[in-house]
């Protein structure tokens, strides 16, 4: 479903997506959510191997592929052949954006780098997503989210005693990669309106992830002594901002940073003597306050605390499981989900997927096409590019392009 009275920002924008796995595909999935026509350009071999990871029962695809490829079309081209590259170049002529995530140098060796393609289409916005950027000392190295978080300094921000605990989310891939790419692409498209020309975008996931630490980073880069993680005001050093265990074993989050919230919380809970207390760098005093809060929170269940927190308005909530958070959004009818129908022997099964951007609650939920099979739209996309049925059949027979199996 789309709001026809308000056309989507990227309606009429063609995106060629040569990426695999998660950072690139999720970036282009977000662009598709704003109306872009995303064409997934795959090789004629394995294609995007995220498709073949252990499948979800609902979608019959792996979780990463399901989460980031609905609403796209796929064409499979052998870019190692002259004929395949010619097909691709013809598609570039009608494209607005190209996103690739090969190791630096791959597209240059294929003769499909920005310098070459911008000669064909000067208005092309070309976004290269890589682990460490195109021209850095780590440019040629392989990596995954954990490596990028480590290089960015994120993994140093760990509670003492738990340095090997893995991060709870793919922050490098999604923030350093996907969201950084989307912001840069959107900005380049706006810039193009004025200049008429596209540009090259060099997204480094490892460096992009640094954006998650603006407070720590601005202190460190300017020579300030940064307290270890767990002792800063927002990482555990202030007991008014912390996670506590309730009587039922579930956890609650107290975020009473402002004095007005802290004072109200203390007066409501019988901690009157702490109502005027403020964290002033006294770790010993903070430890005593934290112990008192730990005892207090064990006196009620998480649900009871959340109810009281809403009544008192003191930034106190129960922590939800992933399923509870999603069910809560669904119960409120919030537009954070899209869906598509997958045909099975039992009929169509409805598969729900999160929107790429869940924060904008003015959006409408949409019914998407399912994530594509490899080369599912090869014939139709080649036809759109001006190839005849006979040409398409010849290319398919020669293995230059590939259709669905």
């Amino acid at each position: 479903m789309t709001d026809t009275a308000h056309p989507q920002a990227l309606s009429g924008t063609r995106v060629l997506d040569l990426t695999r796995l998660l950072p690139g595909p999720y970036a282009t999935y977000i662009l598709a959510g704003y109306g872009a026509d995303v064409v997934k350009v795959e090789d004629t071999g394995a294609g995007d191997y995220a498709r073949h990871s252990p499948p979800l029962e609902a979608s019959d695809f792996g979780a990463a592929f399901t989460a980031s490829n609905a609403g796209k079309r796929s064409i499979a081209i052998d870019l190692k052949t002259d004929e395949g590259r010619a097909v691709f170049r013809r598609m570039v002529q009608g494209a607005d954006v190209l996103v690739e995530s090969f190791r630096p140098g791959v597209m240059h060796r294929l003769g499909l780098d920005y310098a070459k393609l911008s000669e064909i289409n000067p208005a092309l916005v070309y976004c290269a997503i890589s682990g460490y950027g195109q021209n850095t000392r780590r440019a040629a190295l392989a990596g995954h989210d954990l490596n990028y978080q480590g290089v960015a300094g994120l993994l140093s921000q760990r509670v003492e005693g738990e340095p090997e605990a893995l991060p709870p989310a793919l922050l490098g891939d999604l923030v350093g990669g996907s969201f950084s790419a989307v912001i840069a692409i959107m900005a380049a498209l706006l810039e193009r309106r004025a200049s008429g020309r596209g540009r090259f975008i060099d997204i480094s996931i490892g460096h992009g992830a640094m954006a998650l630490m603006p407070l720590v980073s601005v202190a460190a880069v300017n020579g300030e002594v940064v307290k270890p993680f767990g002792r800063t005001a927002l990482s555990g050093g202030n007991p008014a901002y912390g996670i506590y265990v309730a009587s039922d074993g579930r956890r609650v989050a107290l975020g009473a940073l402002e004095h007005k919230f802290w004072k109200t919380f203390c007066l409501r809970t019988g901690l009157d003597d702490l109502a005027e207390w403020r964290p002033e760098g006294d770790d010993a005093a903070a430890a005593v306050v934290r112990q008192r809060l730990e005892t207090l929170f064990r006196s009620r269940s998480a649900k009871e605390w959340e109810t009281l927190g809403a009544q008192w308005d003191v930034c106190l909530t129960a922590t939800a499981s992933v399923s509870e958070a999603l069910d809560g959004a669904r119960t409120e009818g919030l537009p954070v989900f899209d869906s598509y129908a997958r045909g099975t022997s039992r009929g169509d099964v409805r598969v729900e997927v999160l929107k790429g951007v869940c924060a904008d609650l003015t959006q409408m939920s949409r019914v998407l096409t399912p994530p594509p099979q490899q080369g599912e739209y090869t014939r139709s996309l080649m036809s759109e590019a001006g190839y005849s049925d006979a040409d398409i059949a010849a290319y398919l027979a020669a293995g230059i392009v590939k259709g669905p199996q």
Side-chain angles (χ1 to χ4, degrees):
M1 181 185 300
T2 56
D3 186 350
T4 55
H6 298 88
Q8 293 179 288
L10 296 180
S11 293
T13 302
R14 170 68 65 86
V15 178
L16 300 182
D17 175 10
L18 288 82
T19 65
R20 300 170 177 170
L21 298 177
L22 185 63
Y26 203 71
T28 57
Y29 174 67
I30 294 172
L31 297 177
Y34 285 105
D37 173 17
V38 178
V39 175
K40 192 173 180 67
V41 182
E42 304 187 64
D43 61 75
T44 54
D48 184 350
Y49 28 92
R51 183 186 278 111
H52 309 296
S53 60
L56 301 176
E57 183 176 348
S59 68
D60 205 31
F61 290 126
F65 195 84
T66 302
S68 56
N69 285 287
K72 300 179 183 179
R73 298 187 289 170
S74 169
I75 182 172
I77 309 173
D78 185 354
L79 295 178
K80 294 180 180 178
T81 65
D82 291 339
E83 297 88 349
R85 288 191 291 271
V87 172
F88 182 71
R89 289 190 186 96
R90 187 180 292 193
M91 296 186 69
V92 167
Q93 291 175 3
D96 297 285
V97 178
L98 182 152
V99 187
E100 56 100 343
S101 60
F102 298 114
R103 291 204 205 190
V106 170
M107 291 293 274
H108 176 74
R109 291 193 293 274
L110 291 171
L112 301 174
D113 53 302
Y114 176 69
K116 292 289 196 307
L117 296 183
S118 63
E119 293 175 359
I120 299 171
N121 181 355
L124 182 69
V125 172
Y126 184 119
C127 179
I129 302 174
S130 62
Y132 309 106
Q134 299 295 301
N135 298 293
T136 67
R137 63 188 176 89
R138 292 190 176 94
L141 297 180
H144 281 296
D145 177 82
L146 199 61
N147 308 110
Y148 309 141
Q149 291 202 43
V151 167
L154 282 171
L155 295 185
S156 71
Q157 303 298 290
R158 317 293 291 165
V159 176
E160 291 182 11
E162 298 182 6
E164 287 77 40
L166 295 181
L170 300 173
L171 299 176
D173 279 355
L174 294 174
V175 177
S178 306
F179 290 107
S180 296
V182 169
I183 293 169
I185 290 168
M186 293 284 211
L189 288 171
L190 285 173
E191 178 186 309
R192 191 180 71 174
R193 288 185 182 178
S195 69
R197 294 192 61 84
R199 66 184 298 261
F200 178 74
I201 299 168
D202 180 6
I203 295 293
S204 165
I205 300 175
H207 295 91
M210 292 179 178
L212 286 163
M213 302 180 297
L215 307 187
V216 173
S217 297
V218 74
V221 78
N222 287 291
E224 299 285 338
V225 176
V226 180
K227 287 185 177 181
F229 190 84
R231 292 177 57 192
T232 63
L234 300 181
S235 68
N238 180 0
Y241 190 83
I243 300 171
Y244 295 92
V245 180
S247 64
D248 54 357
R250 301 195 62 180
R251 287 169 171 76
V252 295
L254 175 65
L257 282 174
E258 292 85 350
H259 183 64
K260 63 179 181 179
F261 295 133
W262 172 251
K263 183 176 181 177
T264 299
F265 173 78
C266 290
L267 295 177
R268 292 284 191 167
T269 56
L271 299 177
D272 299 37
D273 60 311
L274 294 179
E276 298 302 326
W277 179 82
R278 288 178 170 84
E280 297 177 346
D282 186 340
D283 291 349
V288 171
V289 173
R290 183 176 294 102
Q291 289 175 356
R292 292 182 65 181
L293 291 178
E294 288 172 349
T295 300
L296 171 70
F297 279 111
R298 290 193 189 99
S299 67
R300 297 178 186 271
S301 69
K303 184 175 180 59
E304 290 175 306
W305 281 120
E306 182 164 58
T307 300
L308 292 173
Q311 293 174 1
W312 301 338
D313 189 23
V314 291
C315 306
L316 175 61
T317 53
T319 63
S321 68
V322 173
S323 294
E324 288 169 338
L326 297 175
D327 287 343
R330 183 181 289 107
T331 299
E332 288 195 63
L334 302 180
V336 300
F337 304 100
D338 288 328
S339 64
Y340 65 87
R342 181 176 78 88
T344 71
S345 58
R346 305 184 306 276
D348 283 350
V349 174
R350 182 167 174 263
V351 181
E352 288 188 302
V353 289
L354 273 181
K355 286 181 173 294
V357 176
C358 300
D360 182 359
L361 300 184
T362 65
Q363 302 177 92
M364 298 185 71
S365 294
R366 302 167 301 150
V367 177
L368 306 173
T369 56
Q373 298 292 337
Q374 181 187 10
E376 182 175 347
Y377 295 87
T378 292
R379 287 182 177 274
S380 59
L381 285 165
M382 288 188 71
S383 179
E384 288 177 20
Y387 287 92
S388 68
D389 290 344
D391 288 337
I392 296 170
Y395 277 99
L396 286 167
I400 296 165
V401 299
K402 180 181 177 182
Q405 302 301 301

